[in-house]
Amino acid sequence: MSTLPAAILSELELQSIELPSWAFGNSGTRFKVFATPGTPRDPYEKIADAAQVHRYTALAPTVALHIPWDKVDSYDDLRTHAEDLGVSLGTINSNTFQDDDYKFGALTHEDAAVRRKAIDHHFECIDIMHATGSRDLKIWLAEGSNYPGQADLRGRQDRLHESLQEIYARLGDDQRLVLEYKFFEPAFYHTDVPDWGTSYAQVAALGDKAMVCLDTGHHAPGTNIEFIVMQLLRLGKLGSFDFNSRFYADDDLIVGAADPFQLFRIIFEVIRGGGFNHPDVAFMLDQCHNVEDKIPGQIRSVLNVQEMTARALLVDTEALRAAQLSGDVLEANRIFMDAFYTDVRPALAEWRESRGLPADPMQAFAASGYLQQIAADRVGGVQAGWGA
Amino acid sequence: MSTLPAAILSELELQSIELPSWAFGNSGTRFKVFATPGTPRDPYEKIADAAQVHRYTALAPTVALHIPWDKVDSYDDLRTHAEDLGVSLGTINSNTFQDDDYKFGALTHEDAAVRRKAIDHHFECIDIMHATGSRDLKIWLAEGSNYPGQADLRGRQDRLHESLQEIYARLGDDQRLVLEYKFFEPAFYHTDVPDWGTSYAQVAALGDKAMVCLDTGHHAPGTNIEFIVMQLLRLGKLGSFDFNSRFYADDDLIVGAADPFQLFRIIFEVIRGGGFNHPDVAFMLDQCHNVEDKIPGQIRSVLNVQEMTARALLVDTEALRAAQLSGDVLEANRIFMDAFYTDVRPALAEWRESRGLPADPMQAFAASGYLQQIAADRVGGVQAGWGA
Amino acid sequence: MSTLPAAILSELELQSIELPSWAFGNSGTRFKVFATPGTPRDPYEKIADAAQVHRYTALAPTVALHIPWDKVDSYDDLRTHAEDLGVSLGTINSNTFQDDDYKFGALTHEDAAVRRKAIDHHFECIDIMHATGSRDLKIWLAEGSNYPGQADLRGRQDRLHESLQEIYARLGDDQRLVLEYKFFEPAFYHTDVPDWGTSYAQVAALGDKAMVCLDTGHHAPGTNIEFIVMQLLRLGKLGSFDFNSRFYADDDLIVGAADPFQLFRIIFEVIRGGGFNHPDVAFMLDQCHNVEDKIPGQIRSVLNVQEMTARALLVDTEALRAAQLSGDVLEANRIFMDAFYTDVRPALAEWRESRGLPADPMQAFAASGYLQQIAADRVGGVQAGWGA
Amino acid sequence: MSTLPAAILSELELQSIELPSWAFGNSGTRFKVFATPGTPRDPYEKIADAAQVHRYTALAPTVALHIPWDKVDSYDDLRTHAEDLGVSLGTINSNTFQDDDYKFGALTHEDAAVRRKAIDHHFECIDIMHATGSRDLKIWLAEGSNYPGQADLRGRQDRLHESLQEIYARLGDDQRLVLEYKFFEPAFYHTDVPDWGTSYAQVAALGDKAMVCLDTGHHAPGTNIEFIVMQLLRLGKLGSFDFNSRFYADDDLIVGAADPFQLFRIIFEVIRGGGFNHPDVAFMLDQCHNVEDKIPGQIRSVLNVQEMTARALLVDTEALRAAQLSGDVLEANRIFMDAFYTDVRPALAEWRESRGLPADPMQAFAASGYLQQIAADRVGGVQAGWGA
């Protein structure tokens, strides 16, 4: 138990998990956003906080930006700022849900002028990607309707295709578009990309540079998410993950917090399908730290992913295949669970130390006094949140 | 089909549905609140808008207030304002979810000082009830936790009991406390009053003046809500309804919009259990008009309840009993569905006209120009929403 | 309201809904199958019962068979029997869930010999289709696993593709394969075709003669089924419906019984997408009459579909488009609901009579004494059920 | 980590989990029951199999019986048989769902004669309890309806109360009645005891000897079960558990298989509320081994409960309280998860050996050749299942 095989450690060494800049700003529910002292006031401060996560874990070398929340005058400058802190800029996320014009849709809107505006917003995002050196444009489509009859479902789907085609055509050779799906919210009757099938059908119609983004919190109750992971890998269309966890809806809790075994099954299927440490499949977090501290919340999250990956890599796949082939249900399940129940934490702590990292990143960060420092320093200004 | 029996019409004549003042302010999701021209800036304007609903439907004679959103200098003055407009003030709703002190609970908080503050807030609400002439204090408990281990579930439940006891003891002789339950949100791991059983156990421990409030959007997927209605009426503890509708979570859509047949079954069970037009059971709306116009949204809602009540009153209960007794499943279901499928709208339109009301309240309100008028008049100031 | 437009009536005249032979046999839950006097003992008697549904409604001209439950010595003879009774034989349903060899899969099994057996079973079904004149081979894949680790999800998906390819290659020029998906049951951890996306990906890989079958009871809680209808029609892959209704899981209740408004929305989307009375899209029932009489249960079901189709055809699509274009949410919803709330039953009764059909098919069938007759006649033998 | 504190081990030594006799018979879904060689043909063989579970684990000293499935001529004889094998007879489960008379209810039936029959069945069960020395009568109420309108929900609830009162009055001084609730199945519209609230209200109306039975698979999707555990313990009404696990509906999988973390949280709350090793709270299994071997399936199950109990006992409750009191969400969650992620298996294996038990009960049982022996011995006769 005290050591992990070298082959597993070298896989783990390659692992990287992108952080969302917005996780460092305030977030909440429709009822209340609780503010925290030291919350960043601008993208520079968000990246500084994100760099802390990487510093203590070596797991989070990139930071995703959200436009317009992270608009700055000079992306070159922001990029340099990030690199000075040891991280780089990652996926660019577009936003088509906060402009008053988008009340009834953006890329799907009945009005060509609104669609134009939304497409142009994505063009701007692609321009930013060139400046930041980002590969991926992530599109989460918040569009939908609240009441039956309100919208022409079919027409919206067709318009979505047309809008995406325009955006796709604008991508650079090394750029990709990843289309996220979501079961519901903010729309309550229909969502224009509610499931993996719709996202798949839409990106398949675009071309090789369009992929599906799977957010682990965006499914109907009871959905077998690892099955979808398997299927998208099989179809060659799994572009990225938004990791988080949930008990009910899109709770956006810390990944692994609600159902650790589900996370294990998901990562096992990523490995099984060749998606682990494969350039096609980006690991990202998308979480809201509504009641817990944000930076340690992100540290906890990347550690959860790392620990669960170690467990999933421990599955004795040869023995598992033998049990599966012989129809020995209990033995196959035992082999699977054995890896899940193995406590990889001591070995990972040791390994971290051997790499010059703190054995316990949470404790090391807490001891650093960083939270106290930013609470003292970041006085005045407007704390970042989803509104800005 | 063209007329409804006189006995049904006289029942319908007595029907009243309380409106929530906050339905006339802006609302939205955690992603965006879309504003509308003409949105009220203060409680006076909210009540003016609510009075429009009653004016065109004669269905909504009272308006519920939310404290502190509807705090005013003089409740006597607000009461007079309401009465001048033909409505009166109804249920007082407390708020223990928007103060920074309540981040980890209010009536359940570990810290006695925070509980004191929350209890005192309810005392203030009771004082306001005396001023407004309100009977009911409605407590929706937004308290809970997001992560397993974060909270001591049992301790919180015990403290909740103690806090409620203090509040209960403060009630006047003709006042009541209604305790709402909710499956989840804004807390994502546990909610302190998540189901009717918990609300029932808590109010039963208080006394006769404490009742359960059933919000139709606050249940787990698939829950048979009419069964709960039956049970609470049977136990003598159904105090009030918060009507709305939902496809997924607590969507707060217009009542009857998502599943009209469910609304029919609920109202049928209210009637079956003796809860219709009974003083113990208050009918209220609790909705969010995120994308539709607010005043007509409320008019549509009370009409939906009225129409569905008419259908439920049409059930031939004698024939239904006979079919039930004979085990004739298809005939019992046919009798039940026959009432649901009967188009009561023409008869209700006629009846409205006979009472000096517009046959089509939606159209009459639209024709009145009121929305245009308030959009023109209400310039400047801060539109009301959940934040204020 | 008392008449329906001629254009709608002529559409309705063309409507046909296929009946499942197994609906006339006994069914139940894992806890108990309640038997009924008069239940058919063989396929001939099932078809005789099915013909009663068509006789009183003119809505159900074809009967689907299930192999091996409906195996007979001569399909020519069965076909003649059906035609003598005024109906014809329809879809052939395969069965890969009741042979002991299929405990761990059939078309997906690890063992090539088991797959061979399952593929051969489908070849037999195709042979039967040639004899019965059936166009469609319906494959509901009951395969999956109960425990994480038990099965290699990816390997099974690949084998499924290979097995389906063999079956597909065997189809005649005018024959089709429709692949049903199901969320869960009888497998409880993973199902090999759990969602429309998987069914779509699998049939798209086969060719034009492979389509998706949508069973209205086979989705996760909260799923927007009409959205899937829209999407499959858009993608040209909606092959057939299995209609039924549900409150919780795959309850297989009478279509329209649990959520009539959902049925309305589904049929509206079929019409919107050009799938109504289109040869590509077969309407079928798949229900279990566990506690109600079977023949009237089926009559009630086809009437429910007919009535809801009439309502959906009543939607004023021109006005709806105008409201949608103007962003008038409440008006669009009103137009939509107006059709739903219109009582089409009197007009349909009149129209039925004008076509020589009983105004009230349920009552006419009850008056015929058929149920009493078969209870008296069908004595001895083994009642048909799922086991035989 | 290699040892568990003595205080924990002495708690674990007292732990006992009752086995259901029916878990050793065949079970399946409505689609198929797969038989296994060696399946018991009578209650004596079931008990022999159950005794194997206890022999290898020392965790399962009692076996629950189901009447009429386990009816024998002499319960004295069966009791002696059990004692000879080192186990004793436990809870008696009644059955009101498999007689044709119970199609529309039993204890709730409209017809007094049917209720009489069902009550008498429970009297018989109580008589058997006297013969077997059983304390608990467990009532799972399979009653309900499939279609809205079919049943008078309120009348059934009142009749249920009356029937239960008669049964309750018949209980001996040391006997108890535990009333199980279930969300749905076999009824698909309403279930007469669908939730803990209803079970609680019914047993509270009976008296101190009536308690609630919580089956972990009988809740709506997303239900926080540990909250219910807390509440029932708080109200003094948690009588017993039926342990199993589920992904979708009442899947009856091996306890801990679907969501191990949920099992951890449930057991933690049992301990927190004083219910662990308390005579009031009986731990039982209620599972279906549809595709896996039955005896090892039960061994795996009791080990899962034992291991998870060890983890839950490891929670540093003092540190947890401190973190909760200080509002340190991440630290409280870390302490909670630390216990869950601790690998207690090596220490438990060592401890087992120190008590003369096999370190690995699964392996020891497999090596015993018992399964092969019963497959060879139990030839002929009718294998036990739910039908008999």
Side-chain angles (χ1 to χ4, degrees), chain D residues 30-31 42 44 53 93 132 148-149 151 155 166 198 243 246 269 272 274 276 280 288 296 306 381:
Chain D
R30 59 176 169 149
F31 296 104
D42 59 39
Y44 288 84
V53 178
N93 293 260
T132 54
E166 276 205 58
T198 295
F243 279 113
R246 63 184 284 272
E269 216 51 58
R272 162 69 182 91
F276 180 63
D280 277 1
C288 296
Q306 182 185 54

Side-chain angles (χ1 to χ4, degrees), chain A residues 152 158 189 195-196 226 234, chain C residues 158 189 195-196 226 234:
Chain A
D152 175 10
D158 294 338
Y189 163 58
D195 50 26
W196 78 264
E226 58 270 28
R234 181 178 171 269
Chain C
D158 294 338
Y189 163 57
D195 52 25
W196 79 264
E226 59 269 27
R234 181 177 171 268

Side-chain angles (χ1 to χ4, degrees), chain B residues 152 158 189 195-196 226 234, chain D residues 158 189 195-196 226 234:
Chain B
D152 176 10
D158 294 338
Y189 163 59
D195 50 26
W196 79 264
E226 57 270 26
R234 180 177 171 270
Chain D
D158 293 339
Y189 163 57
D195 51 24
W196 79 263
E226 58 269 28
R234 180 177 171 269

Side-chain angles (χ1 to χ4, degrees), chain C residues 58-255:
Chain C
L59 273 167
T62 58
V63 187
L65 302 181
H66 185 112
I67 305 302
W69 300 344
D70 294 323
K71 282 183 88 157
V72 291
D73 290 335
S74 163
Y75 293 95
D76 278 342
D77 190 58
L78 190 70
R79 189 179 184 165
T80 305
H81 169 74
E83 284 164 5
D84 287 349
L85 292 164
V87 294
S88 52
L89 304 179
T91 298
I92 299 297
N93 293 260
S94 64
N95 177 325
T96 53
F97 51 92
Q98 292 192 318
D99 190 294
D100 283 337
D101 284 344
Y102 298 152
K103 187 171 180 179
F104 298 120
L107 296 178
T108 63
H109 202 285
E110 296 276 5
D111 184 340
V114 177
R115 295 201 300 278
R116 182 74 264 145
K117 177 175 174 170
I119 294 167
D120 286 346
H121 166 66
H122 285 88
F123 288 174
E124 184 193 2
C125 288
I126 293 171
D127 291 344
I128 292 172
M129 290 163 68
H130 286 296
T132 54
S134 304
R135 179 187 62 167
D136 289 353
L137 170 64
K138 187 165 70 181
I139 304 179
W140 166 52
L141 221 71
E143 303 172 39
S145 65
N146 277 6
Y147 290 97
Q150 176 187 333
D152 176 10
L153 306 187
R154 169 64 177 272
R156 292 173 73 92
Q157 201 66 207
D158 294 338
R159 290 191 295 276
L160 174 60
H161 171 61
E162 288 163 23
S163 297
L164 289 175
Q165 266 188 322
E166 277 205 57
I167 296 166
Y168 185 81
R170 182 82 161 225
L171 291 173
D173 286 347
D174 299 329
Q175 293 179 331
R176 306 191 310 172
L177 172 166
V178 293
L179 181 63
E180 196 167 337
Y181 59 92
K182 185 173 180 180
F183 187 47
F184 82 100
E185 197 213 19
F188 294 130
Y189 163 57
H190 104 274
T191 293
D192 288 302
V193 186
D195 52 25
W196 79 264
T198 295
S199 184
Y200 169 68
Q202 285 282 357
V203 301
L206 293 177
D208 288 347
K209 294 187 291 183
M211 308 281 276
V212 176
C213 172
L214 186 160
D215 183 300
T216 53
H218 289 189
H219 303 84
T223 300
N224 184 324
I225 298 174
E226 59 269 27
F227 183 92
I228 299 175
V229 170
M230 173 280 289
Q231 189 67 274
L232 285 172
L233 282 169
R234 181 177 171 268
L235 296 166
K237 281 294 185 191
L238 182 59
S240 58
F241 277 100
D242 270 5
F243 279 114
N244 50 54
S245 74
R246 63 184 282 273
F247 286 97
Y248 306 95
D250 184 32
D251 306 345
D252 280 329
L253 301 174
I254 288 174
V255 55

Side-chain angles (χ1 to χ4, degrees), chain B residues 22-331:
Chain B
W22 56 95
F24 301 94
N26 292 320
S27 63
T29 68
R30 60 176 168 149
F31 296 104
K32 171 74 175 173
V33 174
F34 290 100
T36 319
T39 296
R41 279 95 35 105
D42 60 40
Y44 289 84
E45 292 181 351
K46 292 184 199 174
I47 286 170
D49 288 2
Q52 291 289 312
V53 178
H54 189 51
R55 175 175 171 185
Y56 289 91
T57 64
L59 274 167
T62 58
V63 187
L65 301 182
H66 185 113
I67 305 302
W69 299 344
D70 294 323
K71 282 182 87 158
V72 290
D73 291 336
S74 163
Y75 293 96
D76 278 342
D77 189 58
L78 190 70
R79 188 179 185 165
T80 306
H81 170 73
E83 285 164 4
D84 288 348
L85 293 163
V87 294
S88 52
L89 304 179
T91 298
I92 298 298
N93 293 261
S94 64
N95 177 323
T96 54
F97 50 91
Q98 292 191 319
D99 190 294
D100 283 337
D101 285 343
Y102 298 151
K103 186 173 179 177
F104 298 120
L107 297 178
T108 63
H109 201 284
E110 296 276 4
D111 184 340
V114 177
R115 295 201 300 279
R116 183 74 264 147
K117 176 173 173 173
I119 294 167
D120 286 345
H121 166 66
H122 286 87
F123 289 173
E124 185 193 2
C125 288
I126 293 172
D127 291 344
I128 292 172
M129 288 163 69
H130 286 296
T132 54
S134 304
R135 179 187 62 167
D136 289 352
L137 170 64
K138 187 165 71 181
I139 303 179
W140 166 53
L141 220 71
E143 302 171 40
S145 66
N146 277 7
Y147 291 96
Q150 176 188 334
D152 176 10
L153 306 187
R154 168 66 176 270
R156 292 173 74 91
Q157 200 68 205
D158 294 338
R159 291 190 294 274
L160 174 59
H161 171 62
E162 288 163 23
S163 297
L164 288 175
Q165 266 189 322
E166 276 205 58
I167 296 166
Y168 185 81
R170 182 82 159 226
L171 290 173
D173 286 346
D174 299 329
Q175 292 180 334
R176 306 190 312 172
L177 170 167
V178 291
L179 181 62
E180 196 167 336
Y181 60 92
K182 185 172 180 180
F183 188 47
F184 81 100
E185 196 213 22
F188 294 129
Y189 163 59
H190 104 273
T191 293
D192 287 303
V193 186
D195 50 26
W196 79 264
T198 295
S199 183
Y200 169 67
Q202 285 283 357
V203 300
L206 294 177
D208 287 347
K209 295 187 291 184
M211 309 280 277
V212 175
C213 173
L214 187 160
D215 183 299
T216 53
H218 289 189
H219 302 83
T223 300
N224 184 324
I225 298 173
E226 57 270 26
F227 183 93
I228 299 174
V229 169
M230 174 279 289
Q231 190 67 274
L232 285 172
L233 283 168
R234 180 177 171 270
L235 297 167
K237 281 295 185 190
L238 181 58
S240 57
F241 276 99
D242 269 5
F243 280 114
N244 51 55
S245 74
R246 63 184 282 271
F247 287 96
Y248 307 94
D250 184 32
D251 307 344
D252 281 330
L253 301 175
I254 287 174
V255 55
D259 186 349
F261 183 44
Q262 184 186 57
L263 179 60
F264 174 80
R265 300 193 309 265
I266 288 172
I267 295 179
F268 175 80
E269 216 51 57
V270 174
I271 297 166
R272 163 68 182 92
F276 181 62
N277 284 341
H278 187 289
D280 275 2
V281 185
F283 275 37
M284 293 188 280
L285 301 183
D286 184 9
Q287 299 179 169
C288 295
H289 303 297
N290 295 352
V291 298
E292 69 274 18
D293 283 330
K294 296 162 178 70
I295 301 171
Q298 292 278 296
I299 294 175
R300 176 75 279 151
S301 302
V302 297
L303 293 176
N304 279 357
V305 175
Q306 183 185 53
E307 289 171 18
M308 209 54 87
T309 305
R311 290 187 191 95
L313 287 166
L314 275 176
V315 173
D316 183 342
T317 51
E318 215 168 308
L320 183 64
R321 271 310 284 152
Q324 288 172 346
L325 282 167
S326 69
D328 190 339
V329 176
L330 289 168
E331 175 64 3

Side-chain angles (χ1 to χ4, degrees), chain A residues 84-95:
Chain A
D84 288 349
L85 293 164
V87 295
S88 54
L89 304 179
T91 298
I92 298 298
N93 293 261
S94 64
N95 177 323

